[in-house]
Amino acid sequence: MTPASQETRAGMQIQGRPVASWVADVNIERGLRDSDPALDVLVSAGPTLLTHLAEILQRDLSTTQQAKAADVIGVIAYRNRGAPELPDVVPALASGAENKDVRVRQVAAQSLASVGKAGSNAIPVLSRGAKDEDEWVRKCAVGALRLIGIPTSQALEALHGSLSDLDGTVQIFAVQALYELGKPAT
């Protein structure tokens, strides 16, 4: 736990504010160059927040808050690739990747890509996500299968199926994934 964070009866706090309050302030629509003070505070707290963020993703009634929690998990995962806490958040992200809300599904699949190999237990969910009705969910799911990088039969079947996707970007992602996994895209 960082010096600026503390555990209270109401949950974890950073700089005297509940983590959920910081999550609510995250701008999920930010660009790569956009500054986001709330995200910066959460990321600076590091992997110790992952369990709390996973709880928000699974238990919050607001799909906006769920998507933001998944987003923050993804950024923390990306910046802390080997963190031992990462496998613990995979079930929450996998659940998010099957959420009824399309934005939560998209962001959760993207965050599973950031988790990398530690997200291998989510391969079945991502394989289903490769067939989602939403093209962005399909792109994120195929991209996550690529970055997890484990050529299970289920992942390969999903990637081969994505070669005939109506969206050209999904097709390209599938070809890239199959190439990187050492399997021909036939």
Side-chain angles (χ1 to χ4, degrees), residues 4-15:
S5 62
Q6 61 186 8
E7 195 78 35
T8 68
R9 283 186 160 184
M12 185 161 204
Q13 293 196 355
I14 302 172
Q15 298 177 3

Side-chain angles (χ1 to χ4, degrees), residues 105-144:
R105 292 195 311 272
Q106 291 170 1
V107 178
Q110 274 180 317
S111 293
L112 283 164
S114 296
V115 170
K117 287 197 186 309
S120 63
N121 289 341
I123 288 174
V125 169
L126 293 168
S127 296
R128 289 189 296 276
K131 299 173 191 159
D132 195 274
E133 64 196 35
D134 182 79
E135 69 186 62
W136 283 101
V137 173
R138 295 193 309 272
K139 290 174 190 178
C140 294
V142 169

Side-chain angles (χ1 to χ4, degrees), residues 16-185:
R17 284 179 61 194
V19 169
S21 173
W22 286 105
V23 171
D25 288 347
V26 168
N27 177 7
I28 198 166
E29 302 300 330
R30 70 188 176 280
L32 291 176
R33 296 176 190 250
D34 292 340
S35 168
D36 189 329
L39 180 65
D40 293 343
V41 167
L42 291 165
V43 170
S44 70
T48 58
L49 282 187
L50 289 173
T51 302
H52 299 284
L53 294 166
E55 288 175 12
I56 293 169
L57 173 57
Q58 289 184 300
R59 292 184 178 85
D60 202 289
L61 297 178
S62 162
T63 55
T64 300
Q65 191 79 339
Q66 290 173 336
K68 289 179 178 190
D71 181 48
V72 177
I73 290 170
V75 175
I76 291 173
Y78 181 78
R79 295 187 185 175
N80 298 276
R81 290 284 168 115
E85 297 91 347
L86 289 177
D88 297 337
V89 299
V90 170
L93 289 172
S95 176
E98 293 189 304
N99 191 288
K100 67 182 182 324
D101 183 79
V102 67
R103 185 68 173 139
V104 175
R105 292 195 311 272
Q106 291 170 1
V107 178
Q110 274 180 317
S111 293
L112 283 164
S114 296
V115 170
K117 287 197 186 309
S120 63
N121 289 341
I123 288 174
V125 169
L126 293 168
S127 296
R128 289 189 296 276
K131 299 173 191 159
D132 195 274
E133 64 196 35
D134 182 79
E135 69 186 62
W136 283 101
V137 173
R138 295 193 309 272
K139 290 174 190 178
C140 294
V142 169
L145 288 169
R146 176 182 149 250
L147 290 171
I148 288 172
I150 300 174
T152 67
S153 59
Q154 197 169 24
L156 294 173
E157 183 180 322
L159 292 169
H160 278 285
S162 295
L163 293 173
S164 60
D165 195 279
L166 296 175
D167 185 271
T169 304
V170 174
Q171 294 174 10
I172 291 168
F173 285 2
V175 168
Q176 290 172 328
L178 288 165
Y179 177 79
E180 289 178 19
L181 294 172
K183 304 295 178 188

